[in-house]
Amino acid sequence: MRLAAAQLSIAERLDRVSLILEPGTITAICGPNGAGKSSLLEALAGLLPAGDGAVFLDRQQIAALPLRERARRIGYLPQAHEIAWDVPVRSLVELGRLPHGDRLAAPVDAALDALDIRDLENRRAQSLSGGETARVLLARVLASEPQWILADEPLAALDIAHQLSLLKHLRRAAQGGAGVVLVLHDLAHAMNHADRVVVLDRGVVAADGACEDALDQQVIERVWKVPVRWIGEPRHRALVSR
Ligand SMILES: Nc1ncnc2c1ncn2[C@@H]1O[C@H](COP(=O)(O)OP(=O)(O)OP(=O)(O)O)[C@@H](O)[C@H]1O
């Protein structure tokens, strides 16, 4: 079940972006501020009109999919972590089951465990810290067991232990067949944990491929305009300035 963007052009945001995303893999979308990463993710989730282009889930245009089916198949975590309702955490995570029309305990429990928020399940959602809020909202996405997990900066508010445990969990989801697409600012996380990196620069794809190629030092210097060097072994790399 591929997710594909064809010739996505959205005024001032994306310019003829075409991608075919494979299930069972983790793709990182990287790029400087304003490059179009969130716009691309929103368009892939069917939340931003695709302009002259189109987004396809398998062979079906996403815009034509019934909303409930789209919500069942694509889980989307936006960049802004806002919780509108001050409900208990468990109820909020259960909202992930809405597209399925059930409140199955097993996927909700699995999501609470994956994000290490079992001890928060009775807390009011609006009483949480920033990182706890981020984990709860991601748990809601996971509870819906989507074929595609599209997450905008899911690691940004998390401490290092929760970052690594979430990355491990997303890898497990990919191994189980899900497609995982993450907007990441941390290039070392992209380098070490993704299978493929798409680099956006001012609305166009500047590089796309295996991590070591797409995040090659020269690409980073060209796109981000900073002198850097990778150190360490593959999958354990760190980025340092030169
Ligand atoms: N609702 C909107 N209407 C018009 N332009 C927008 C809108 N949202 C974003 N933009 C513009 O589109 C461009 C891409 O924004 P986008 O949020 O996709 O970038 P990004 O790569 O996710 O950036 P960041 O790293 O800062 O989150 C930016 O120039 C931004 O100002």
Side-chain angles (χ1 to χ4, degrees):
M1 193 69 60
R2 287 167 157 183
L3 185 59
Q7 293 283 315
L8 270 186
S9 294
I10 300 172
E12 312 287 322
R13 298 167 79 165
L14 295 172
D15 186 15
R16 281 168 293 147
V17 171
S18 294
L19 293 173
I20 297 175
L21 297 162
E22 302 289 344
T25 61
I26 298 180
T27 300
I29 300 175
C30 301
N33 288 137
K37 304 178 297 296
S38 298
S39 303
L40 175 59
L41 209 65
E42 277 177 60
L44 289 170
L47 298 170
L48 188 63
D52 295 335
V55 174
F56 296 89
L57 190 52
D58 225 12
R59 270 172 228 100
Q60 255 184 312
Q61 272 217 37
I62 213 169
L65 279 179
L67 285 181
R68 180 180 267 239
E69 189 184 343
R70 204 195 291 175
R72 260 200 309 263
R73 292 163 73 176
I74 299 181
Y76 168 68
L77 179 79
Q79 188 173 24
H81 296 148
E82 284 158 13
I83 295 182
W85 301 307
D86 197 19
V87 294
V89 163
R90 188 178 181 93
S91 308
L92 198 103
V93 175
E94 277 175 348
L95 290 177
R97 299 305 304 169
L98 257 185
H100 300 272
D102 65 44
R103 294 171 80 182
L104 273 185
V108 173
D109 288 335
L112 291 169
D113 287 339
L115 276 303
D116 188 26
I117 50 173
R118 224 11 135 126
D119 54 335
L120 300 179
E121 68 179 334
N122 296 317
R123 283 271 297 279
R124 310 299 296 184
Q126 287 179 340
S127 73
L128 303 173
S129 75
E132 289 167 346
T133 302
R135 277 149 59 206
V136 166
L137 291 175
L138 198 54
R140 182 175 67 180
V141 171
L142 298 185
S144 75
E145 301 179 302
Q147 292 165 347
W148 286 89
I149 298 169
L150 311 184
D152 199 338
E153 279 290 340
L155 307 176
L158 306 194
D159 64 57
I160 179 74
H162 287 112
Q163 284 182 346
L164 293 177
S165 112
L166 175 59
L167 285 163
K168 220 182 265 177
H169 186 82
L170 292 170
R171 172 58 66 193
R172 245 180 273 134
Q175 282 165 344
V180 179
V181 186
L182 309 174
V183 170
L184 295 177
H185 270 301
D186 186 324
L187 302 185
H189 277 323
M191 175 65 114
N192 294 329
H193 297 281
D195 301 302
R196 170 187 179 186
V197 176
V198 176
V199 176
L200 286 181
D201 187 17
R202 287 165 289 177
V204 302
V205 175
D208 179 4
C211 309
E212 298 272 346
D213 301 326
L215 286 178
D216 174 72
Q217 176 178 319
Q218 287 171 357
V219 173
I220 297 174
E221 295 193 4
R222 192 177 74 235
V223 173
W224 280 266
K225 300 189 173 36
V226 286
V228 290
R229 183 164 61 90
W230 287 108
I231 56 172
E233 298 300 311
R235 293 290 163 196
H236 300 279
R237 295 237 192 259
L239 191 61
V240 294
S241 61
R242 276 195 293 117

